[in-house]
Coordinates of all heavy atoms in Angstrom, one line a residue:
E1 N 9.9 1.1 -4.4 CA 10.9 0.5 -5.3 C 11.4 -0.8 -4.7 O 11.6 -1.8 -5.5 CB 12.1 1.5 -5.4 CG 13.1 1.1 -6.5 CD 14.1 2.2 -6.7 OE1 13.8 3.3 -6.6 OE2 15.2 1.7 -6.8
W2 N 11.6 -1.0 -3.4 CA 12.0 -2.2 -2.7 C 10.9 -3.3 -3.1 O 11.3 -4.4 -3.5 CB 12.1 -2.0 -1.3 CG 12.2 -3.3 -0.5 CD1 13.3 -4.0 -0.3 CD2 11.1 -4.0 0.1 NE1 13.0 -5.2 0.4 CE2 11.6 -5.2 0.7 CE3 9.7 -3.8 0.1 CZ2 10.9 -6.2 1.4 CZ3 8.9 -4.7 0.8 CH2 9.5 -5.8 1.4
L3 N 9.7 -3.0 -2.9 CA 8.6 -4.0 -3.1 C 8.6 -4.4 -4.6 O 8.5 -5.6 -4.9 CB 7.3 -3.3 -2.7 CG 6.1 -4.3 -2.7 CD1 6.3 -5.3 -1.6 CD2 4.8 -3.5 -2.4
L4 N 8.8 -3.5 -5.4 CA 8.7 -3.8 -6.9 C 9.9 -4.7 -7.3 O 9.8 -5.6 -8.2 CB 8.7 -2.5 -7.8 CG 7.3 -1.8 -7.6 CD1 7.5 -0.5 -8.5 CD2 6.2 -2.5 -8.1
S5 N 11.0 -4.4 -6.8 CA 12.3 -5.2 -7.1 C 12.3 -6.6 -6.5 O 12.8 -7.5 -7.1 CB 13.5 -4.4 -6.7 OG 13.7 -4.4 -5.3
K6 N 11.6 -6.7 -5.4 CA 11.7 -8.0 -4.7 C 10.5 -9.0 -5.1 O 10.7 -10.2 -5.2 CB 11.7 -7.8 -3.2 CG 12.0 -9.0 -2.4 CD 12.4 -8.8 -1.0 CE 12.8 -10.0 -0.4 NZ 13.6 -9.9 0.8
Y7 N 9.4 -8.4 -5.4 CA 8.2 -9.2 -5.7 C 7.6 -8.7 -7.1 O 7.9 -7.6 -7.5 CB 7.2 -9.1 -4.6 CG 7.7 -9.6 -3.3 CD1 8.1 -8.7 -2.3 CD2 7.7 -10.9 -3.0 CE1 8.6 -9.1 -1.1 CE2 8.2 -11.4 -1.8 CZ 8.6 -10.5 -0.9 OH 9.1 -11.0 0.4
Q8 N 6.9 -9.5 -7.7 CA 6.1 -9.2 -8.9 C 4.7 -8.8 -8.5 O 3.8 -9.6 -8.7 CB 6.1 -10.4 -9.9 CG 7.5 -10.7 -10.4 CD 8.2 -9.6 -11.1 OE1 7.5 -9.0 -11.9 NE2 9.4 -9.3 -10.8
Y9 N 4.5 -7.6 -8.1 CA 3.2 -7.0 -7.6 C 2.9 -5.8 -8.4 O 3.7 -5.1 -8.9 CB 3.2 -6.8 -6.2 CG 3.2 -8.0 -5.4 CD1 4.4 -8.6 -4.8 CD2 2.0 -8.7 -5.1 CE1 4.4 -9.8 -4.1 CE2 2.0 -10.0 -4.4 CZ 3.2 -10.4 -4.0 OH 3.1 -11.6 -3.2
R10 N 1.6 -5.6 -8.5 CA 1.1 -4.4 -9.0 C 0.7 -3.4 -7.9 O 0.3 -3.9 -6.9 CB -0.2 -4.6 -9.8 CG 0.2 -5.3 -11.2 CD -1.1 -5.5 -12.0 NE -1.1 -6.8 -12.3 CZ -2.1 -7.7 -12.1 NH1 -3.2 -7.3 -11.6 NH2 -1.9 -8.9 -12.5
I11 N 1.1 -2.2 -8.0 CA 0.7 -1.2 -7.0 C -0.2 -0.2 -7.6 O -0.1 0.3 -8.6 CB 2.0 -0.4 -6.6 CG1 3.0 -1.4 -5.8 CG2 1.6 0.7 -5.6 CD1 4.3 -0.7 -5.4
Y12 N -1.4 -0.1 -6.9 CA -2.4 0.9 -7.3 C -2.5 2.0 -6.4 O -2.4 1.8 -5.2 CB -3.8 0.1 -7.3 CG -3.9 -1.0 -8.3 CD1 -3.8 -2.3 -7.9 CD2 -4.2 -0.7 -9.6 CE1 -3.8 -3.3 -8.7 CE2 -4.3 -1.8 -10.5 CZ -4.0 -3.1 -10.0 OH -4.1 -4.1 -11.0
I13 N -2.5 3.2 -6.9 CA -2.6 4.4 -6.1 C -3.9 5.2 -6.5 O -4.1 5.5 -7.6 CB -1.4 5.3 -6.2 CG1 -0.1 4.5 -5.8 CG2 -1.6 6.6 -5.5 CD1 1.2 5.2 -5.8
K14 N -4.7 5.3 -5.4 CA -5.9 6.1 -5.6 C -5.6 7.5 -4.9 O -5.5 7.6 -3.7 CB -7.1 5.5 -5.0 CG -8.4 6.3 -5.2 CD -9.6 5.7 -4.8 CE -10.9 6.4 -5.1 NZ -10.8 7.9 -5.0
L15 N -5.4 8.5 -5.7 CA -5.1 9.8 -5.1 C -6.3 10.4 -4.5 O -7.4 10.3 -4.9 CB -4.5 10.8 -6.2 CG -3.3 10.3 -6.9 CD1 -3.0 11.1 -8.1 CD2 -2.1 10.3 -6.0
H16 N -6.0 11.3 -3.5 CA -7.1 12.0 -2.8 C -7.7 13.0 -3.8 O -6.8 13.8 -4.5 CB -6.7 12.7 -1.6 CG -7.8 13.3 -0.7 ND1 -8.5 14.3 -1.0 CD2 -8.3 12.8 0.4 CE1 -9.3 14.5 -0.1 NE2 -9.3 13.6 0.7
P17 N -8.9 13.1 -4.1 CA -9.4 14.1 -5.1 C -9.2 15.5 -4.8 O -9.2 16.3 -5.8 CB -11.0 13.7 -5.1 CG -11.3 13.1 -3.8 CD -10.0 12.4 -3.4
S18 N -8.9 15.9 -3.6 CA -8.6 17.3 -3.3 C -7.2 17.7 -3.5 O -6.9 18.9 -3.4 CB -9.0 17.6 -1.9 OG -10.3 17.4 -1.7
Y19 N -6.3 16.7 -3.8 CA -4.9 17.1 -3.9 C -4.3 16.6 -5.3 O -4.7 15.5 -5.7 CB -4.1 16.6 -2.8 CG -4.6 17.0 -1.4 CD1 -5.5 16.1 -0.7 CD2 -4.3 18.2 -0.9 CE1 -6.0 16.6 0.6 CE2 -4.8 18.6 0.3 CZ -5.6 17.8 1.0 OH -6.2 18.2 2.2
N20 N -3.2 17.2 -5.7 CA -2.5 16.9 -6.9 C -1.1 16.6 -6.6 O -0.3 17.5 -6.4 CB -2.6 18.0 -8.0 CG -1.9 17.5 -9.3 OD1 -1.5 16.3 -9.4 ND2 -1.6 18.4 -10.2
Y21 N -0.8 15.3 -6.3 CA 0.6 14.9 -5.9 C 1.0 13.7 -6.6 O 1.9 12.9 -6.1 CB 0.6 14.7 -4.4 CG -0.5 13.7 -3.8 CD1 -0.2 12.4 -3.7 CD2 -1.7 14.2 -3.5 CE1 -1.2 11.5 -3.2 CE2 -2.7 13.4 -3.0 CZ -2.5 12.0 -2.9 OH -3.4 11.2 -2.4
Q22 N 0.5 13.4 -7.8 CA 0.9 12.3 -8.5 C 2.4 12.2 -8.9 O 3.1 11.2 -8.9 CB 0.1 12.3 -9.8 CG 0.4 11.0 -10.7 CD -0.6 10.8 -11.8 OE1 -1.7 11.4 -11.8 NE2 -0.3 10.0 -12.8
D23 N 3.0 13.5 -9.0 CA 4.5 13.5 -9.3 C 5.3 13.0 -8.2 O 6.4 12.6 -8.4 CB 4.8 14.9 -9.6 CG 4.6 15.9 -8.4 OD1 3.5 15.8 -7.8 OD2 5.4 16.8 -8.2
K24 N 4.8 12.8 -6.9 CA 5.6 12.3 -5.8 C 5.9 10.8 -6.0 O 6.8 10.3 -5.4 CB 4.7 12.5 -4.5 CG 4.3 13.8 -4.1 CD 5.5 14.6 -3.5 CE 4.9 15.9 -3.1 NZ 6.1 16.8 -2.8
F25 N 5.3 10.2 -7.0 CA 5.5 8.8 -7.2 C 6.3 8.6 -8.4 O 6.4 7.4 -8.9 CB 4.1 8.0 -7.3 CG 3.3 8.2 -6.1 CD1 2.3 9.2 -6.0 CD2 3.5 7.4 -5.0 CE1 1.6 9.3 -4.9 CE2 2.8 7.5 -3.8 CZ 1.9 8.5 -3.7
A26 N 7.0 9.6 -8.9 CA 7.8 9.5 -10.2 C 8.8 8.4 -10.1 O 9.1 7.6 -11.1 CB 8.4 10.8 -10.5
Q27 N 9.4 8.1 -8.9 CA 10.5 7.1 -8.8 C 10.0 5.8 -8.9 O 10.7 4.8 -9.2 CB 11.2 7.3 -7.5 CG 10.3 6.7 -6.3 CD 10.3 7.6 -5.2 OE1 10.5 8.8 -5.3 NE2 10.1 7.1 -3.9
L28 N 8.7 5.5 -8.9 CA 8.1 4.2 -9.1 C 7.6 4.0 -10.5 O 6.8 3.1 -10.8 CB 6.9 4.0 -8.1 CG 7.3 4.1 -6.7 CD1 6.1 4.0 -5.7 CD2 8.3 3.0 -6.3
E29 N 8.0 4.8 -11.4 CA 7.6 4.8 -12.8 C 7.5 3.4 -13.3 O 8.3 2.6 -13.1 CB 8.5 5.5 -13.7 CG 7.9 6.5 -14.6 CD 8.9 7.4 -15.2 OE1 9.4 7.0 -16.4 OE2 9.3 8.5 -14.7
G30 N 6.4 3.0 -14.0 CA 6.2 1.7 -14.6 C 5.6 0.7 -13.7 O 5.0 -0.2 -14.2
G31 N 5.8 0.9 -12.4 CA 5.2 -0.1 -11.4 C 4.0 0.4 -10.8 O 3.5 -0.4 -10.0
V32 N 3.5 1.5 -11.0 CA 2.3 2.1 -10.3 C 1.2 2.3 -11.3 O 1.4 2.8 -12.4 CB 2.7 3.4 -9.7 CG1 1.5 4.1 -9.1 CG2 3.8 3.1 -8.6
N33 N 0.0 2.0 -10.9 CA -1.2 2.3 -11.7 C -2.1 3.3 -10.9 O -2.4 2.9 -9.8 CB -2.1 1.0 -11.9 CG -1.3 -0.1 -12.6 OD1 -1.0 0.1 -13.8 ND2 -0.9 -1.1 -12.0
F34 N -2.3 4.4 -11.5 CA -3.1 5.4 -10.9 C -4.6 5.1 -11.3 O -4.9 4.9 -12.4 CB -2.7 6.8 -11.3 CG -1.4 7.2 -10.7 CD1 -0.3 7.1 -11.4 CD2 -1.3 7.7 -9.4 CE1 0.9 7.4 -10.9 CE2 -0.1 8.0 -8.8 CZ 1.1 7.9 -9.6
I35 N -5.4 5.0 -10.3 CA -6.9 4.6 -10.5 C -7.8 5.5 -9.8 O -7.4 6.3 -8.9 CB -7.1 3.2 -10.0 CG1 -6.7 3.1 -8.5 CG2 -6.3 2.1 -10.8 CD1 -7.0 1.8 -7.9
D36 N -9.0 5.4 -10.2 CA -10.1 6.3 -9.5 C -11.2 5.5 -9.0 O -12.3 5.9 -8.9 CB -10.6 7.4 -10.3 CG -11.3 6.9 -11.6 OD1 -11.3 5.7 -11.9 OD2 -11.7 7.8 -12.4
Y37 N -11.0 4.1 -8.8 CA -11.9 3.2 -8.2 C -11.3 2.5 -7.1 O -10.2 2.6 -6.8 CB -12.5 2.3 -9.3 CG -11.4 1.5 -10.0 CD1 -11.0 0.2 -9.5 CD2 -10.6 2.0 -11.1 CE1 -9.9 -0.5 -10.1 CE2 -9.6 1.2 -11.6 CZ -9.3 0.0 -11.1 OH -8.3 -0.7 -11.7
F38 N -12.1 1.6 -6.5 CA -11.6 0.8 -5.3 C -11.3 -0.6 -5.6 O -12.3 -1.4 -5.6 CB -12.6 0.9 -4.1 CG -12.9 2.4 -3.8 CD1 -14.1 2.9 -4.0 CD2 -11.8 3.2 -3.3 CE1 -14.4 4.2 -3.7 CE2 -12.2 4.5 -3.0 CZ -13.4 5.1 -3.1
P39 N -10.2 -1.1 -6.0 CA -10.0 -2.4 -6.4 C -9.9 -3.4 -5.4 O -9.7 -3.1 -4.2 CB -8.6 -2.3 -7.1 CG -7.9 -1.3 -6.3 CD -8.9 -0.3 -5.9
K40 N -10.1 -4.7 -5.7 CA -9.9 -5.8 -4.8 C -8.4 -5.9 -4.6 O -7.7 -6.0 -5.7 CB -10.5 -7.1 -5.3 CG -10.1 -8.3 -4.6 CD -11.0 -8.4 -3.3 CE -10.7 -9.8 -2.7 NZ -10.2 -9.7 -1.4
V41 N -7.9 -6.0 -3.4 CA -6.5 -5.9 -3.2 C -6.1 -7.0 -2.2 O -6.9 -7.5 -1.4 CB -5.9 -4.6 -2.7 CG1 -6.2 -3.5 -3.8 CG2 -6.5 -4.2 -1.4
D42 N -4.8 -7.4 -2.1 CA -4.3 -8.3 -1.1 C -3.9 -7.6 0.1 O -4.1 -8.0 1.3 CB -3.1 -9.1 -1.6 CG -3.5 -10.0 -2.8 OD1 -4.4 -10.8 -2.6 OD2 -2.8 -9.9 -3.8
I43 N -3.3 -6.3 0.0 CA -2.9 -5.5 1.1 C -3.3 -4.0 0.8 O -3.0 -3.5 -0.4 CB -1.4 -5.6 1.3 CG1 -1.0 -7.0 1.6 CG2 -1.0 -4.6 2.5 CD1 0.6 -7.1 1.7
M44 N -3.9 -3.4 1.7 CA -4.2 -1.9 1.5 C -3.3 -1.1 2.4 O -3.2 -1.4 3.6 CB -5.6 -1.7 2.0 CG -6.4 -0.5 1.5 SD -5.6 1.1 1.8 CE -6.9 2.1 1.2
M45 N -2.5 -0.2 1.8 CA -1.7 0.6 2.7 C -2.1 2.1 2.6 O -2.4 2.5 1.5 CB -0.2 0.5 2.1 CG 0.4 -0.9 2.3 SD 2.0 -1.1 1.5 CE 2.9 0.1 2.3
C46 N -2.3 2.7 3.7 CA -2.8 4.1 3.7 C -2.4 4.8 5.0 O -1.9 4.2 6.0 CB -4.3 4.1 3.5 SG -5.2 3.4 4.9
Y47 N -2.5 6.0 4.9 CA -2.4 6.9 6.2 C -3.8 6.8 6.7 O -4.7 6.2 6.3 CB -1.9 8.3 5.9 CG -0.4 8.3 5.7 CD1 0.1 8.2 4.4 CD2 0.4 8.5 6.7 CE1 1.4 8.2 4.2 CE2 1.8 8.5 6.5 CZ 2.3 8.4 5.3 OH 3.7 8.5 5.1
N48 N -3.9 7.5 7.9 CA -5.3 7.5 8.6 C -6.3 8.0 7.6 O -6.5 9.2 7.5 CB -5.2 8.3 9.8 CG -6.3 8.2 10.7 OD1 -7.1 7.2 10.5 ND2 -6.5 9.0 11.7
S49 N -6.9 7.0 7.0 CA -8.0 7.4 5.8 C -9.2 6.6 6.0 O -9.2 5.5 6.5 CB -7.2 6.9 4.6 OG -8.2 6.9 3.4
F50 N -10.3 7.3 5.7 CA -11.6 6.6 5.7 C -11.6 5.4 4.7 O -12.2 4.4 5.0 CB -12.7 7.5 5.3 CG -13.1 8.5 6.5 CD1 -12.9 9.9 6.3 CD2 -13.6 8.0 7.5 CE1 -13.2 10.7 7.4 CE2 -14.0 8.8 8.6 CZ -13.8 10.2 8.5
L51 N -10.9 5.5 3.7 CA -10.8 4.4 2.7 C -10.1 3.1 3.4 O -10.6 2.1 3.2 CB -9.9 4.8 1.5 CG -9.8 3.7 0.4 CD1 -11.2 3.3 -0.1 CD2 -9.0 4.3 -0.7
G52 N -9.1 3.4 4.3 CA -8.5 2.2 5.0 C -9.5 1.6 5.9 O -9.6 0.3 6.0
Y53 N -10.4 2.4 6.5 CA -11.4 1.9 7.4 C -12.4 1.1 6.7 O -12.9 0.1 7.1 CB -12.0 3.0 8.3 CG -11.1 3.6 9.2 CD1 -10.7 4.9 9.1 CD2 -10.6 2.9 10.3 CE1 -9.7 5.4 10.0 CE2 -9.7 3.4 11.2 CZ -9.2 4.7 11.1 OH -8.4 5.3 12.0
E54 N -12.7 1.6 5.4 CA -13.7 0.8 4.7 C -13.1 -0.6 4.3 O -13.8 -1.6 4.3 CB -14.1 1.6 3.4 CG -14.9 2.8 3.8 CD -15.4 3.6 2.5 OE1 -15.7 2.9 1.5 OE2 -15.5 4.9 2.6
Y55 N -11.8 -0.6 3.8 CA -11.3 -1.9 3.5 C -11.1 -2.8 4.7 O -11.4 -4.0 4.6 CB -9.8 -1.6 2.9 CG -9.8 -1.3 1.4 CD1 -10.1 -0.2 0.8 CD2 -9.6 -2.5 0.5 CE1 -10.1 0.0 -0.6 CE2 -9.7 -2.4 -0.8 CZ -9.8 -1.0 -1.4 OH -9.8 -0.9 -2.7
K56 N -10.8 -2.2 5.8 CA -10.8 -3.0 7.0 C -12.1 -3.6 7.4 O -12.2 -4.8 7.8 CB -10.2 -2.2 8.1 CG -10.0 -2.9 9.5 CD -9.2 -2.1 10.5 CE -9.0 -2.9 11.7 NZ -7.8 -3.1 12.2
A57 N -13.2 -2.8 7.2 CA -14.5 -3.3 7.5 C -14.9 -4.4 6.6 O -15.7 -5.3 7.0 CB -15.5 -2.1 7.4
L58 N -14.3 -4.5 5.4 CA -14.6 -5.6 4.5 C -13.7 -6.8 4.7 O -13.7 -7.8 4.0 CB -14.3 -5.1 3.0 CG -15.3 -4.0 2.5 CD1 -14.9 -3.6 1.2 CD2 -16.7 -4.6 2.4
G59 N -12.8 -6.6 5.8 CA -12.0 -7.8 6.1 C -10.7 -7.8 5.5 O -10.0 -8.9 5.5
E60 N -10.3 -6.7 4.7 CA -9.0 -6.8 4.1 C -7.9 -6.4 5.0 O -8.1 -5.7 6.0 CB -9.1 -5.7 2.9 CG -10.1 -6.0 1.9 CD -9.9 -7.3 1.1 OE1 -8.8 -7.8 1.1 OE2 -11.0 -7.8 0.5
K61 N -6.6 -6.8 4.7 CA -5.5 -6.4 5.4 C -5.1 -5.0 5.2 O -5.0 -4.6 4.0 CB -4.3 -7.4 5.0 CG -3.0 -6.9 5.5 CD -2.8 -7.2 7.1 CE -1.5 -6.8 7.5 NZ -1.3 -6.7 8.9
V62 N -5.1 -4.1 6.2 CA -4.8 -2.8 6.0 C -3.5 -2.5 6.9 O -3.3 -2.8 8.1 CB -5.9 -1.8 6.6 CG1 -5.5 -0.4 6.6 CG2 -7.2 -2.1 5.8
I63 N -2.5 -1.9 6.2 CA -1.3 -1.4 6.9 C -1.4 0.1 7.0 O -1.4 0.7 6.0 CB 0.0 -1.9 6.1 CG1 0.1 -3.4 6.2 CG2 1.2 -1.2 6.8 CD1 1.2 -4.0 5.5
W64 N -1.3 0.6 8.2 CA -1.4 2.0 8.4 C -0.1 2.6 8.4 O 0.8 2.4 9.3 CB -2.1 2.2 9.9 CG -3.5 1.6 9.9 CD1 -3.8 0.4 10.5 CD2 -4.6 2.1 9.4 NE1 -5.1 0.2 10.3 CE2 -5.7 1.2 9.6 CE3 -5.0 3.3 8.6 CZ2 -7.0 1.3 9.2 CZ3 -6.3 3.4 8.2 CH2 -7.3 2.5 8.5
M65 N 0.2 3.4 7.4 CA 1.6 3.9 7.1 C 2.1 4.8 8.2 O 3.3 4.8 8.5 CB 1.6 4.7 5.8 CG 1.2 3.9 4.6 SD 2.5 2.7 4.1 CE 3.8 3.8 3.7
Q66 N 1.2 5.5 8.9 CA 1.7 6.4 10.0 C 2.4 5.7 11.0 O 3.2 6.3 11.8 CB 0.6 7.3 10.5 CG -0.5 6.6 11.2 CD -1.7 6.1 10.4 OE1 -1.6 6.0 9.2 NE2 -2.7 5.8 11.0
E67 N 2.1 4.4 11.2 CA 2.7 3.6 12.2 C 4.3 3.3 11.9 O 5.0 2.8 12.7 CB 2.0 2.3 12.5 CG 0.6 2.5 13.0 CD -0.1 1.2 13.1 OE1 0.4 0.1 12.9 OE2 -1.4 1.3 13.3
Y68 N 4.7 3.5 10.6 CA 6.0 3.1 10.2 C 6.8 4.3 9.7 O 7.8 4.1 9.1 CB 5.9 2.1 9.1 CG 5.2 0.8 9.6 CD1 3.8 0.7 9.3 CD2 5.9 -0.2 10.2 CE1 3.2 -0.4 9.7 CE2 5.2 -1.3 10.7 CZ 3.9 -1.5 10.4 OH 3.2 -2.6 10.8
E69 N 6.3 5.6 9.9 CA 6.9 6.7 9.4 C 8.4 6.8 9.8 O 9.3 7.2 9.0 CB 6.2 8.0 9.7 CG 5.0 8.3 8.9 CD 4.4 9.6 9.3 OE1 4.2 9.9 10.5 OE2 3.9 10.3 8.4
D70 N 8.7 6.5 10.9 CA 10.2 6.6 11.5 C 10.9 5.3 11.4 O 12.1 5.1 11.7 CB 10.1 7.0 12.9 CG 9.5 8.4 13.1 OD1 9.7 9.2 12.2 OD2 8.9 8.6 14.2
N71 N 10.3 4.3 10.7 CA 10.9 3.0 10.7 C 10.4 2.2 9.4 O 9.7 1.2 9.6 CB 10.7 2.1 12.0 CG 11.6 0.9 12.1 OD1 12.3 0.6 11.1 ND2 11.5 0.3 13.1
L72 N 11.0 2.5 8.3 CA 10.6 1.9 7.1 C 11.0 0.4 7.0 O 10.4 -0.4 6.4 CB 11.2 2.6 5.8 CG 10.4 3.9 5.5 CD1 11.1 4.5 4.3 CD2 8.9 3.7 5.3
E73 N 12.2 0.1 7.7 CA 12.6 -1.3 7.8 C 11.5 -2.2 8.4 O 11.3 -3.3 7.9 CB 13.9 -1.4 8.5 CG 15.1 -0.9 7.8 CD 15.4 -1.7 6.5 OE1 15.3 -3.0 6.5 OE2 15.7 -1.1 5.5
Q74 N 10.8 -1.7 9.4 CA 9.8 -2.4 10.0 C 8.6 -2.6 9.1 O 7.9 -3.6 9.1 CB 9.4 -1.7 11.4 CG 8.3 -2.5 12.1 CD 8.9 -3.8 12.7 OE1 10.1 -3.9 13.0 NE2 8.1 -4.8 12.7
L75 N 8.3 -1.6 8.3 CA 7.3 -1.7 7.3 C 7.6 -2.9 6.3 O 6.8 -3.6 6.0 CB 7.0 -0.4 6.6 CG 6.2 -0.4 5.4 CD1 4.7 -0.8 5.7 CD2 6.2 0.9 4.6
Y76 N 8.8 -2.9 5.8 CA 9.2 -3.9 4.9 C 9.1 -5.3 5.5 O 8.6 -6.2 4.9 CB 10.7 -3.7 4.5 CG 10.9 -2.3 3.8 CD1 12.2 -1.8 3.8 CD2 9.9 -1.7 3.1 CE1 12.4 -0.6 3.2 CE2 10.1 -0.4 2.4 CZ 11.4 0.1 2.5 OH 11.6 1.2 1.9
L77 N 9.5 -5.3 6.8 CA 9.4 -6.7 7.4 C 7.9 -7.1 7.7 O 7.6 -8.2 7.5 CB 10.0 -6.6 8.8 CG 11.5 -6.5 8.8 CD1 12.1 -6.3 10.2 CD2 12.2 -7.8 8.3
E78 N 7.1 -6.2 7.9 CA 5.6 -6.5 8.0 C 5.1 -6.9 6.7 O 4.3 -7.9 6.7 CB 4.9 -5.2 8.6 CG 3.4 -5.4 8.5 CD 2.9 -6.1 9.7 OE1 3.7 -6.4 10.7 OE2 1.7 -6.4 9.7
L79 N 5.4 -6.2 5.6 CA 5.0 -6.7 4.3 C 5.4 -8.0 3.9 O 4.7 -8.9 3.4 CB 5.5 -5.6 3.3 CG 4.7 -4.3 3.2 CD1 5.4 -3.4 2.3 CD2 3.3 -4.6 2.7
E80 N 6.8 -8.3 4.2 CA 7.3 -9.6 3.8 C 6.7 -10.6 4.6 O 6.3 -11.7 4.1 CB 8.8 -9.5 4.1 CG 9.5 -10.5 3.2 CD 11.0 -10.1 3.0 OE1 11.5 -9.3 3.9 OE2 11.6 -10.5 2.1
K81 N 6.5 -10.4 5.9 CA 5.8 -11.4 6.8 C 4.4 -11.8 6.3 O 4.0 -12.9 6.2 CB 5.7 -10.9 8.2 CG 5.1 -11.9 9.2 CD 5.1 -11.3 10.6 CE 4.0 -10.3 10.8 NZ 3.9 -9.8 12.1
Y82 N 3.6 -10.7 5.9 CA 2.3 -11.0 5.4 C 2.3 -11.7 4.1 O 1.6 -12.6 3.9 CB 1.5 -9.6 5.3 CG 0.2 -9.8 4.9 CD1 -0.8 -10.2 5.8 CD2 -0.2 -9.7 3.6 CE1 -2.2 -10.4 5.4 CE2 -1.6 -9.9 3.1 CZ -2.5 -10.2 4.1 OH -3.8 -10.5 3.7
V83 N 3.2 -11.3 3.2 CA 3.3 -11.9 1.9 C 3.7 -13.4 2.0 O 3.0 -14.2 1.4 CB 4.3 -11.2 1.0 CG1 4.6 -12.0 -0.3 CG2 3.6 -9.8 0.6
W84 N 4.7 -13.6 2.9 CA 5.1 -15.0 3.1 C 4.1 -15.9 3.6 O 3.8 -17.0 3.2 CB 6.4 -15.0 3.8 CG 6.9 -16.4 4.2 CD1 6.8 -17.0 5.3 CD2 7.6 -17.3 3.3 NE1 7.4 -18.3 5.3 CE2 7.8 -18.4 4.1 CE3 7.9 -17.2 2.0 CZ2 8.4 -19.6 3.4 CZ3 8.5 -18.3 1.4 CH2 8.8 -19.4 2.1
H85 N 3.5 -15.4 4.8 CA 2.4 -16.1 5.4 C 1.3 -16.5 4.6 O 0.7 -17.6 4.7 CB 2.0 -15.4 6.7 CG 1.0 -16.1 7.5 ND1 -0.3 -15.9 7.4 CD2 1.1 -17.1 8.5 CE1 -1.0 -16.7 8.2 NE2 -0.1 -17.4 8.9
N86 N 0.9 -15.5 3.8 CA -0.3 -15.7 2.9 C -0.1 -16.2 1.5 O -1.0 -16.4 0.7 CB -1.2 -14.4 2.9 CG -1.7 -14.1 4.2 OD1 -2.6 -14.7 4.7 ND2 -1.1 -13.2 4.9
R87 N 1.3 -16.4 1.2 CA 1.7 -16.8 -0.1 C 0.9 -16.0 -1.3 O 0.5 -16.6 -2.3 CB 1.3 -18.2 -0.3 CG 1.9 -19.2 0.8 CD 3.4 -19.3 0.6 NE 3.9 -20.5 1.4 CZ 4.3 -20.4 2.6 NH1 4.3 -19.2 3.2 NH2 4.8 -21.5 3.3
I88 N 1.0 -14.7 -1.1 CA 0.4 -13.9 -2.2 C 1.4 -13.4 -3.2 O 2.5 -13.5 -3.0 CB -0.4 -12.7 -1.7 CG1 0.4 -11.8 -0.8 CG2 -1.6 -13.2 -0.9 CD1 -0.2 -10.6 -0.4

C-alpha cells in the first residue's frame, strides 16, 4: 500500500503454483496484477526463491524479503533509494 500511494507503479505477483494465497493480497486491490509469466521488471522482490535467483542471474535488481521481515521501514528505504538512484 505504501509503495502504491507514494509512486505510480504496477505490482505483479506470480503466485507459487502449489499454493493458493491470492486472498492475502486483498488490501492491495486495484494495484496488483496476478500473472503466470515472468515479466521484465525494474525490481524483483521475493523470499528465498529460485525465481529470484533467475532474475538475479539476468542482472535484475532483486530484493530478498526475508532480509527485511523484522524491519519493513528498512525495506521502504531500500526501495526508495533504488527508485531515486535509478529514476524509475
Side-chain angles (χ1 to χ4, degrees):
E1 192 171 320
W2 166 86
L3 187 64
L4 293 175
S5 67
K6 191 158 185 164
Y7 299 102
Q8 296 297 314
Y9 287 97
R10 286 182 233 126
I11 296 177
Y12 297 99
I13 297 177
K14 183 175 186 321
L15 299 171
H16 192 285
S18 298
Y19 303 99
N20 183 9
Y21 52 93
Q22 186 167 340
D23 60 320
K24 301 279 187 199
F25 300 97
Q27 74 226 26
L28 298 175
E29 229 173 89
V32 172
N33 300 291
F34 291 95
I35 57 174
D36 62 356
Y37 58 92
F38 306 113
K40 171 76 174 121
V41 297
D42 295 310
I43 302 171
M44 196 309 182
M45 296 173 60
C46 68
Y47 281 90
N48 193 13
S49 162
F50 283 113
L51 183 57
Y53 292 110
E54 289 184 37
Y55 271 88
K56 188 173 176 123
L58 293 171
E60 302 295 341
K61 170 69 174 168
V62 176
I63 294 179
W64 303 98
M65 298 290 293
Q66 67 271 17
E67 296 175 9
Y68 300 96
E69 281 182 317
D70 297 328
N71 190 352
L72 286 179
E73 287 297 319
Q74 187 62 36
L75 171 62
Y76 301 152
L77 290 173
E78 175 78 12
L79 283 170
E80 206 158 25
K81 180 177 79 175
Y82 183 81
V83 168
W84 175 256
H85 182 264
N86 293 285
R87 308 283 196 269
I88 58 172

